[in-house]
Amino acid sequence: MTETELTIRDFRPADAEAVTAAHRAGREHLVMSAEALLWMNSRKNPEERFRTFVAELDGRVVGAVRCGLVLGTTTTGVGYANGSVLPGFRRRGAATALLAAAERHLSAHGVAELHTWLDDEPAALAFGAARGYEPGREAHFGGRDLTLPLPQAPVRPAGVELRPATDWADDPRPLFLVEADAIRDEPGEVVMDALDYEEWLRGDWARPDLDLGLTVVAVVDGEPAAFTMAQTDGVDRYWSAFTACRREFRGRGLAKLAKLESLRLAAAAGHRRAYTSNDATNAPMLAVNAWLGYERCAGERKGIKRLG
């Protein structure tokens, strides 16, 4: 019998395509490009301690894990580690070794509580439980065929405009203020109460897969009140990255209007599949996505582990 050699090492630019393939294998709802992965590993923010570990089996890249500290919160000592292994190479120790590498790295930088997302299926949940991860929040993925008709747009309230984010390309701070207000109410184990503008510029606005033309902003009397942020794979897949509405403008259907317009623009641009994700407790957004025609296609469960 030939002995399998497993190697865990740092990410290299040449790994981008293989790591992207491992990330998306069996998960049509995860929209990720090699370009975006390269960007993640090239940006520098010492506070995040971001790192990607790669698993090689007999010299072939079969999986990876991306990890770092959670920023944008006054809660300290929380980290994340999310990864995957190609289905044909699972149960050979790669996922365990990747997660252990992430735990060691983050523990050395003060992380006491580590969060990871697990596919909501028995094998993945059992994997997390066996390695000390307690079950946390549940999230739902929705998918939609963009070649099918979209709902008819509701009547737009007086004073409301729908504009592309390209209108704020030179000064996106007004959009940051929308997100900084809305994200405080986002369901999650960590309250995002300290979003930083410069980090938002580096970590969200600068993403190469962010499509400003498909990112739609709802403007009320000249003031950005809501938006839906769109990312794409550069081919034909669309991802609804984040939808935000300032507290004082909620209840007017602005998020629904922005999301519908973004999908309309995506379909017109030739995108064929749209995907989104929501916390299982976020009933208002789940209802909006159901109205838009999204159908649940997968789920995931947060795993939480105390380190040390």
Side-chain angles (χ1 to χ4, degrees):
M1 180 181 292
T2 303
E3 183 178 352
T4 299
E5 181 181 352
L6 172 63
T7 302
I8 304 298
R9 59 169 174 79
D10 280 310
F11 174 87
R12 302 167 187 159
D15 301 325
E17 293 289 349
V19 170
T20 303
H23 176 72
R24 290 173 52 171
R27 298 163 167 168
E28 65 167 21
H29 50 282
L30 297 184
V31 179
M32 171 73 79
S33 67
E35 183 185 13
L37 188 65
L38 284 167
W39 168 82
M40 289 178 194
N41 285 277
S42 65
R43 63 193 184 96
K44 305 297 182 183
N45 184 353
E47 293 181 5
E48 188 179 12
R49 304 291 182 181
F50 181 84
R51 201 165 173 185
T52 298
F53 293 100
V54 169
E56 284 187 354
L57 278 170
D58 295 331
R60 175 178 176 178
V61 173
V62 299
V65 62
R66 304 179 309 281
C67 60
L69 276 68
V70 176
L71 305 180
T73 176
T74 56
T75 303
T76 59
V78 179
Y80 66 90
N82 297 308
S84 59
V85 173
L86 286 168
F89 294 88
R90 293 173 186 170
R91 300 183 182 276
R92 296 170 66 178
T96 298
L98 285 168
L99 198 53
E103 290 176 2
R104 289 192 298 270
H105 167 64
L106 295 175
S107 180
H109 291 290
V111 170
E113 182 175 289
L114 183 58
H115 295 188
T116 188
W117 283 108
L118 302 163
D119 292 335
D120 194 5
E121 51 90 13
L125 297 177
F127 171 87
R131 286 149 188 84
Y133 287 83
E134 298 288 336
R137 309 187 75 84
E138 180 184 354
H140 297 171
F141 288 98
R144 194 198 197 285
D145 185 343
L146 286 177
T147 67
L148 298 178
L150 290 162
Q152 183 175 353
V155 176
R156 193 181 303 178
V160 174
E161 300 175 82
L162 297 178
R163 294 164 54 186
T166 49
D167 288 358
W168 289 269
D170 294 333
D171 180 16
R173 183 178 285 275
L175 305 189
F176 164 78
L177 294 176
V178 174
E179 179 164 341
D181 182 61
I183 203 170
R184 291 172 179 264
D185 299 323
E186 186 75 3
E189 289 82 5
V190 180
V191 178
M192 306 303 291
D193 56 354
L195 204 62
D196 177 76
Y197 180 57
E198 294 301 324
E199 173 56 25
W200 181 83
L201 287 176
R202 290 190 298 265
D204 291 80
W205 193 253
R207 286 185 66 106
D209 54 354
L210 174 64
D211 192 315
L212 297 184
L214 301 183
T215 296
V216 174
V217 183
V219 179
V220 178
D221 297 327
E223 179 182 3
F227 68 75
T228 188
M229 193 171 284
Q231 298 167 4
T232 74
D233 68 349
V235 184
D236 63 356
R237 291 153 57 93
Y238 165 106
W239 173 253
S240 179
F242 187 62
T243 300
C245 184
R246 294 184 65 163
R247 298 175 186 181
E248 64 266 35
F249 292 106
R250 292 176 188 170
R252 306 187 194 183
L254 301 180
K256 178 186 284 190
L257 287 168
K259 287 178 74 85
L260 177 60
E261 177 65 5
S262 182
L263 289 176
R264 186 191 69 78
L265 293 170
H271 295 282
R272 300 180 60 84
R273 292 291 299 175
Y275 296 96
T276 189
S277 175
N278 293 108
D279 188 273
T281 66
N282 193 346
M285 194 55 67
L286 288 169
V288 167
N289 287 331
W291 177 82
L292 288 166
Y294 283 99
E295 296 181 349
R296 183 174 177 178
C297 60
E300 62 182 1
R301 180 66 65 91
K302 178 71 71 68
I304 303 171
K305 180 178 181 177
R306 298 292 300 181
L307 299 183

